[in-house]
Amino acid sequence: MINIEIDSESGFCFGVTTAINKAEEKLAQEKTLYCLGDIVHNGMECDRLREMGLVTINHHDLERLSNVKVMLRAHGEPPQTYALAQRQNIEIVDTTCPVVLQLQKRIKKQFDTNPNAQIVIFGKSGHAEVLGLVGQTNNKAIVVENINDVQKLDFNNDIYLYSQTTKSLDEFHHIIDYIQSHIAEGATFKSFDTICRQVANRISHIAAFARKHDLILFVSGGKSSNGKVLFDECKRVNPNAYQIECPQQVDLKWLNNIKSVGICGATSTPKWLMEDCRKYILDNTTQLSDE
């Protein structure tokens, strides 16, 4: 009999939970609610909410809408989105994560104080949260994805470094070290640790969890930024780790000679999906043993 444990610390973070709850609350009151972008980077959860009446739109769709309700997800949006909504009489249901909202305000204040400085954001180019952060600077902020991008900065000019909330702390500190060792005398460099601790604290926990089991199934959507960080940590401590998006992606061959399976996921992974993966394994291994 295979022992299967679902990680108690995996699943929706506070910001995602708030957004999902608000969507369900609004959909209980009306048949249709628009959401600007996927409400969460998990296809299975998006499908569930779509069946309830949540309609996912993009920014081009938003330009053609008026007199409707549109939800802004936890990732946040740039100021231009709010301005557009106001012009077109769109009611905003704002579920921007409080951590992201606070970061947006900090970056905007810094930009307004010193618009000629380099505001640098360590994050994934094109990511919804990063677009919202860059928007606070009239799109002048510089996005760096890795240490190679940092080398392109002007070290003779002031640098103010922030981070996307779901990035790796270790990588962020490497970037800080590099800038500190290259910044010119007389130029100002300040870094601000803006990584969400709900994500950062999961890294050490998930590493300990991954070590406990023969096989790790990491359940996460391919678009999830923190999912990539957390899965990489699982894989680092346990090479027998696989990332899946749904139960049907479990290869039963992975279970050969396995005594314990750990199921975990990203801050965008619903608990019910991890439970479905557990049930899929139990149903199929019981069926195989009966044959």
Side-chain angles (χ1 to χ4, degrees):
M1 184 71 176
I2 296 177
N3 173 50
I4 304 174
E5 180 186 6
I6 295 177
D7 176 29
S8 61
E9 297 295 320
S10 287
F12 291 157
C13 63
F14 171 79
V16 173
T17 298
T18 301
I20 297 293
N21 289 344
K22 179 61 72 172
E24 291 175 336
E25 175 189 321
K26 291 292 182 182
L27 289 169
Q29 301 168 358
E30 43 205 299
K31 292 181 180 179
T32 301
L33 173 67
Y34 294 96
C35 183
L36 188 56
D38 291 337
I39 189 170
V40 62
H41 286 156
N42 186 279
M44 301 289 284
E45 181 67 4
C46 288
D47 288 345
R48 183 184 75 86
L49 290 168
R50 182 166 58 247
E51 291 176 2
M52 295 176 63
L54 188 68
V55 178
T56 302
I57 60 172
N58 58 36
H59 287 81
H60 292 299
D61 297 325
L62 187 69
E63 294 171 0
R64 296 192 289 267
L65 291 174
S66 60
N67 304 308
V68 295
K69 290 184 180 180
V70 175
M71 171 176 279
L72 304 186
R73 57 207 176 148
H75 301 93
E77 282 290 323
Q80 299 94 309
T81 299
Y82 293 87
L84 175 62
Q86 187 173 20
R87 288 197 304 269
Q88 301 192 195
N89 198 34
I90 293 172
E91 181 181 337
I92 291 294
V93 180
D94 200 341
T95 64
T96 302
C97 172
V99 177
V100 174
L101 191 60
Q102 182 63 26
L103 175 54
Q104 288 183 346
K105 290 177 180 177
R106 291 179 66 176
I107 289 176
K108 185 179 189 310
K109 183 178 180 180
Q110 180 61 61
F111 177 73
D112 290 344
T113 302
N114 187 357
N116 294 320
Q118 295 173 98
I119 292 181
V120 180
I121 298 168
F122 168 48
K124 183 179 180 181
S125 295
H127 187 280
E129 180 190 327
V130 174
L131 292 174
L133 299 178
V134 172
Q136 308 304 316
T137 67
N138 292 337
N139 298 322
K140 292 182 179 179
I142 302 168
V143 178
V144 298
E145 294 196 8
N146 51 52
I147 201 74
N148 293 327
D149 289 343
V150 178
Q151 297 169 15
K152 302 172 186 175
L153 298 177
D154 178 4
F155 295 104
N156 293 306
N157 192 12
D158 296 347
I159 296 175
Y160 295 88
L161 175 68
Y162 299 83
S163 175
Q164 179 182 339
T165 60
T166 54
K167 296 299 285 182
S168 161
L169 262 175
D170 287 344
E171 205 171 352
F172 185 58
H173 287 144
H174 288 324
I175 288 174
I176 291 173
D177 291 342
Y178 186 92
I179 296 176
Q180 283 179 332
S181 65
H182 287 77
I183 193 76
E185 185 177 350
T188 297
F189 169 53
K190 292 185 179 180
S191 62
F192 306 92
D193 182 352
T194 52
I195 293 173
C196 176
R197 285 304 180 267
Q198 272 214 346
V199 176
N201 292 343
R202 289 191 185 192
I203 294 177
S204 58
H205 170 84
I206 212 163
F209 180 81
R211 289 189 185 98
K212 289 169 54 180
H213 298 283
D214 300 329
L215 170 70
I216 289 294
L217 296 177
F218 187 85
V219 188
S220 175
K223 296 180 181 178
S224 174
S225 178
N226 82 89
K228 181 182 185 306
V229 172
L230 293 172
F231 175 67
D232 286 348
E233 184 65 11
C234 285
K235 194 76 174 177
R236 184 183 70 81
V237 301
N238 187 339
N240 200 26
Y242 299 90
Q243 182 171 351
I244 59 172
E245 294 196 28
C246 63
Q248 291 71 27
Q249 290 183 352
V250 176
D251 187 337
L252 297 179
K253 294 177 182 177
W254 297 341
L255 303 172
N256 290 341
N257 302 315
I258 294 296
K259 293 182 179 179
S260 69
V261 176
I263 299 176
C264 50
T267 57
S268 54
T269 304
K271 287 284 189 184
W272 64 261
L273 184 54
M274 290 184 281
E275 291 286 355
D276 280 1
C277 290
R278 179 179 183 274
K279 184 177 184 301
Y280 181 86
I281 293 171
L282 290 175
D283 288 348
N284 281 278
T285 53
T286 301
Q287 186 178 20
L288 287 172
S289 63
D290 290 341
E291 290 177 355

